[in-house]
């Protein structure tokens, strides 16, 4: 126990020095930080801790997806698909396909056609691509034969909920791209409830600019990739999101993103590889079929906001209004591409239900209050350990300071945002770290009072307290993980700080304290324990 390998000592000291270097830029003034960056090589990452909205101020907007517009769009798509299916099956109807509040209705001229068309109509409710998780199929349409040749297709409640959920996911992706264009640091965009989106932009004091950005519609286009020898005036060089370099893309747009009605990840039935399946409305399907039939073998570019997000090759004519994009996709990349395709435009109207601006003064007050709480709490803990355990209390206090440095370094390296609840989590972990030292020291006392030698008491104290420390910290870490995965916003900030504090406690309260006691014993050779 009292023999510490040189490499272990060097490793602990190096980790401590690295943590101090990581947090150093956050302690400097903006001018000093800029001077430091200018004197360092370009490959050295210099990061500062990111403050949340409650600490540095900014804009807060809560948006709600208009479920009525989602349903209206779904009914319109259902009408287009029904018309296409009737035309393909050459089934005559009277009066056209009428739109209902939650579906469509049409009347067959020949009631005998009902048996032919009903199975086909049921297939319209199948989601494109199915589920990557292999879940049970969800019925999205309720097809009813009302008699006398009248057929109704009604969108189910489950389908509406699923479409609203997709609309929220798509809107989050669009909004994130919009807000990132502002150049702000660590915007927080997340789902809140079933149909709301929370947007927090730290440091932005102009909510009108944020609302203007949030209302902007993303531009999605399908274009052909230019061939060698084409007139340079007919194409432009566009950046690619997933690969370096630019790609020559024809200026003429094949199909607009507004004609895309759905895109979902799935699996190729022949190869089992992840793919992305998409579907156009009638206008987009016809145009896409014409272009792909005339350009088999050529790649086409999917352009989102002026950047190429994918450039698959046309393997054959894509008719019928739907097709698939195959490539070397993983499950995650296929899902991401599907979201990007669906996110070409805001899928539904977003209504602002709450907006507020947090001024920098309020943020500074929060910082000052958090500092006071942290300083007072840390000072009382340091004083208590020093009075109670003497020399060993000094070791515990040094480990505590390193523990705090490790937490802040971890927040910076992870790019996590420090919020006021996060500061509360750090203060809580200060007490937890000291509690581990208290368990060790009290165990050492018990072993010494039982008549053990100094070396034996120290060794038994660390060994027998270690299991208790690990058990208590594991249970706390589980609680922190639950808070992180089930919580949102400030709750997750608290969970991140708490989890980092728990992990660093094991290193500082056990390993580092043990190292300092071992070095102290080798240097002092005491005849009795100073606790």
């Amino acid at each position: 126990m009292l023999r510490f390998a040189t490499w272990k000592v060097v490793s602990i000291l190096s980790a401590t020095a690295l943590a101090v270097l990581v947090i150093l830029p956050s302690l400097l003034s903006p001018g000093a930080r800029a001077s430091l960056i200018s004197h360092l090589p370009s490959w050295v990452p210099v990061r500062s801790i990111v403050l949340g909205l409650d600490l540095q101020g900014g804009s807060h907007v809560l948006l709600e997806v208009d479920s009525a517009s989602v349903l209206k769009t779904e009914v319109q798509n259902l009408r287009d698909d029904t018309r296409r299916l009737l035309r393909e099956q050459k089934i005559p109807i009277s009066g056209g396909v009428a739109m209902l509040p939650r579906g469509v209705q049409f009347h067959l001229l020949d009631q005998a056609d009902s048996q032919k068309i009903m199975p086909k109509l049921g297939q319209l409710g199948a989601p494109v691509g199915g589920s990557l998780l292999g879940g049970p199929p969800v019925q999205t349409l309720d097809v009813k034969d009302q008699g006398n040749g009248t057929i109704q297709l009604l969108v189910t409640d489950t389908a509406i909920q699923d479409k609203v959920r997709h609309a929220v996911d798509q809107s989050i992706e669009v909004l994130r791209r919009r807000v990132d264009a502002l150049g702000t640091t660590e915007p927080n965009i997340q789902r809140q409830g079933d149909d709301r989106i929370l947007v927090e932009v730290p440091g932005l004091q102009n909510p009108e600019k944020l609302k203007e950005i949030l209302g902007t519609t993303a531009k999605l286009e399908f274009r052909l990739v230019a061939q060698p020898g084409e007139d340079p005036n007919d194409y432009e060089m566009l950046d690619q999101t997933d690969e370096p370099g630019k790609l020559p893309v024809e200026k003429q747009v094949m199909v607009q993103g507004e004609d895309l009605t759905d895109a979902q990840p799935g699996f190729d039935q022949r190869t089992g590889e992840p793919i992305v399946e998409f579907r156009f409305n009638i206008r987009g399907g016809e145009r896409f079929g014409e272009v792909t039939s005339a350009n088999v073998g050529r790649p086409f570019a999917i352009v989102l906001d002026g950047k190429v997000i994918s450039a698959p090759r046309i393997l054959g004519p894509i008719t019928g209004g739907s097709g698939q994009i195959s490539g070397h996709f993983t499950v995650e990349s296929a899902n991401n591409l599907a979201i990007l395709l669906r996110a070409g435009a805001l899928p539904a109207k977003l209504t602002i239900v709450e907006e507020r601006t947090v001024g920098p003064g309020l943020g500074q007050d929060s910082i000052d209050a958090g500092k006071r709480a942290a300083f007072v709490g840390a000072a009382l803990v340091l004083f208590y350990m020093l009075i109670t355990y003497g020399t060993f209390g000094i070791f515990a206090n040094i480990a505590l300071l390193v523990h705090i440095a490790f937490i802040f370094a971890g927040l910076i390296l992870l790019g996590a945002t420090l919020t006021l609840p996060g500061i509360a989590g750090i203060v809580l972990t200060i007490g937890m770290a000291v509690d581990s030292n208290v368990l060790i020291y009290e165990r050492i006392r018990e072993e010494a009072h039982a008549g053990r030698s100094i070396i034996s008491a120290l060794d038994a104290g660390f060994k027998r307290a270690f299991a208790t420390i690990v058990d208590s910290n594991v249970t706390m870490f589980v609680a922190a993980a639950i808070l992180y995965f089930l919580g949102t916003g400030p709750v997750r900030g608290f969970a991140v700080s708490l989890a980092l504090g728990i992990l660093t406690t094991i290193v500082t309260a056990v390993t580092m304290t043990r190292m300092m006691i071992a070095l102290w014993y080798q240097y002092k050779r005491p005849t009795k324990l100073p606790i």
Side-chain angles (χ1 to χ4, degrees):
M1 178 268 167
L2 297 180
R3 291 183 180 179
F4 237 78
T6 303
W7 70 269
K8 291 184 179 180
V9 177
V10 172
S11 298
I12 293 174
L13 295 180
S14 299
T16 303
L18 180 61
V20 173
L21 290 176
V22 169
I23 65 176
L24 182 60
S26 300
L27 304 177
L28 300 176
S29 63
R33 188 182 306 122
S35 176
L36 174 64
I37 295 175
S38 64
H39 287 83
L40 290 175
S42 58
W43 54 268
V44 177
V46 179
R47 301 179 181 176
S48 299
I49 194 163
V50 179
L51 301 180
L53 187 72
D54 53 354
L55 295 182
Q56 67 167 313
S59 297
H60 165 109
V61 176
L62 183 62
L63 304 164
E64 185 176 58
V65 173
D66 186 0
S67 301
S69 67
V70 174
L71 176 59
K72 181 180 179 181
T73 301
E74 182 66 11
V75 172
Q76 290 175 342
N77 293 335
L78 178 59
R79 180 194 59 187
D80 292 343
D81 289 340
T82 303
R83 286 174 175 173
R84 174 181 55 80
L85 183 60
L86 291 170
R87 186 171 61 249
E88 290 176 351
Q89 299 298 318
K90 298 180 180 180
I91 295 178
I93 61 175
S94 64
V97 179
M99 292 180 59
L100 303 175
R102 295 191 55 161
V104 298
Q105 176 179 288
F106 60 89
H107 184 77
L108 297 171
L109 291 178
D110 185 357
Q111 296 186 29
D113 289 333
S114 174
Q115 296 181 352
K116 178 181 178 182
I117 195 63
M118 288 293 286
K120 300 290 185 180
L121 292 173
Q123 295 176 4
L124 292 179
V128 177
S131 172
L132 285 178
L133 298 179
V138 177
Q139 183 179 359
T140 60
L141 282 181
D142 188 5
V143 183
K144 297 181 179 179
D145 187 346
Q146 301 293 101
N148 297 323
T150 301
I151 307 294
Q152 279 188 355
L153 287 80
L154 301 178
V155 182
T156 63
D157 292 336
T158 302
I160 295 174
Q161 295 171 2
D162 185 65
K163 288 296 180 181
V164 170
R165 179 177 60 83
H166 275 297
V168 171
D169 291 338
Q170 296 169 37
S171 299
I172 288 175
E173 183 63 32
V174 175
L175 296 179
R176 178 169 287 112
R177 295 175 67 88
R178 303 271 76 74
V179 174
D180 286 345
L182 292 172
T184 56
T185 304
E186 291 297 324
N188 177 37
I189 304 175
Q190 62 185 19
R191 177 193 299 270
Q192 191 168 86
D194 294 330
D195 58 357
R196 292 186 174 185
I197 302 172
L198 175 65
V199 181
E200 293 180 331
V201 185
L204 181 65
Q205 300 298 324
N206 186 356
E208 294 301 323
K209 183 177 181 180
L210 176 61
K211 287 192 291 184
E212 179 183 353
I213 289 292
L214 297 183
T216 303
T217 302
K219 188 176 183 181
L220 177 67
E221 299 171 334
F222 293 81
R223 307 195 218 168
L224 287 171
V225 174
Q227 293 179 315
E230 284 194 32
D231 187 344
N233 294 323
D234 293 337
Y235 65 87
E236 57 184 336
M237 304 299 294
L238 299 181
D239 292 324
Q240 302 181 77
T241 58
D242 295 333
E243 297 182 12
K246 295 179 180 291
L247 191 68
V249 179
E250 291 187 357
K251 294 181 180 180
Q252 183 179 3
V253 178
M254 294 165 47
V255 185
Q256 296 283 356
E258 61 189 22
D259 293 324
L260 186 72
T261 62
D262 198 9
Q264 297 288 342
F267 291 102
D268 191 301
Q269 296 182 353
R270 295 170 300 175
T271 64
E273 294 182 350
I275 58 173
V276 175
E277 296 188 293
F278 58 89
R279 182 167 61 200
F280 291 107
N281 57 20
I282 292 178
R283 180 182 60 185
E286 291 177 348
R287 175 60 182 157
F288 198 69
E290 294 173 359
V291 175
T292 54
S293 297
N295 294 277
V296 174
R298 289 186 60 180
F300 72 93
I302 303 172
V303 182
L304 182 61
D305 286 342
K307 292 186 177 181
V308 179
I309 61 174
S310 182
R313 188 173 298 277
I314 302 172
L315 300 180
I318 304 176
T319 58
S322 63
Q324 71 179 39
I325 302 173
S326 59
H328 300 292
F329 289 122
T330 62
V331 170
E332 181 180 4
S333 62
N335 184 65
N336 291 340
L337 178 57
I339 292 176
L340 285 174
L341 291 176
R342 297 197 306 264
L346 288 173
K349 180 182 178 182
L350 296 179
T351 304
I352 297 178
V353 296
E354 178 186 347
E355 61 174 297
R356 66 174 184 265
T357 301
V358 180
L362 176 60
Q364 188 60 47
D365 290 343
S366 299
I367 294 175
D368 294 339
K371 283 182 177 179
R372 284 194 297 271
F375 289 156
V376 171
L380 291 176
V381 169
L382 293 174
F383 180 75
Y384 173 82
M385 294 299 293
L386 185 61
I387 295 299
T388 305
Y389 297 108
T391 302
F392 280 21
I394 296 176
F395 298 152
N397 291 339
I398 294 174
L400 180 61
L401 295 176
V402 175
H403 163 77
I404 297 174
F406 280 169
I407 292 178
F408 280 102
L411 289 173
I412 294 172
L413 293 176
L414 291 175
T417 301
L418 180 63
T419 60
L420 196 58
I423 294 178
I426 293 174
V427 175
L428 176 61
T429 61
I430 290 175
M432 294 172 55
V434 170
D435 180 62
S436 298
N437 285 119
V438 170
L439 287 174
I440 294 171
Y441 292 168
E442 290 300 324
R443 189 68 193 187
I444 291 174
R445 273 181 175 174
E446 293 177 3
E447 298 297 335
H449 291 163
R452 287 178 176 266
S453 65
I454 294 178
I455 295 180
S456 179
L458 292 174
D459 187 57
F462 275 96
K463 285 184 177 180
R464 297 186 179 182
F466 182 74
T468 304
I469 294 171
V470 170
D471 289 343
S472 63
N473 281 279
V474 166
T475 54
M476 287 294 293
F477 189 83
V478 171
I482 293 174
L483 287 175
Y484 180 82
F485 288 109
L486 299 183
T488 59
V491 175
R492 299 187 77 177
F494 174 82
V496 170
S497 298
L498 182 60
L500 282 174
I502 293 170
L503 294 175
T504 58
T505 293
I506 302 297
V507 177
T508 57
V510 179
T511 305
M512 191 165 193
T513 303
R514 184 175 176 178
M515 180 195 74
M516 288 187 288
I517 291 177
L519 296 177
W520 165 81
Y521 181 84
Q522 292 176 13
Y523 179 75
K524 286 287 188 179
R525 296 294 177 178
T527 57
K528 65 177 183 178
L529 292 173
I531 57 174

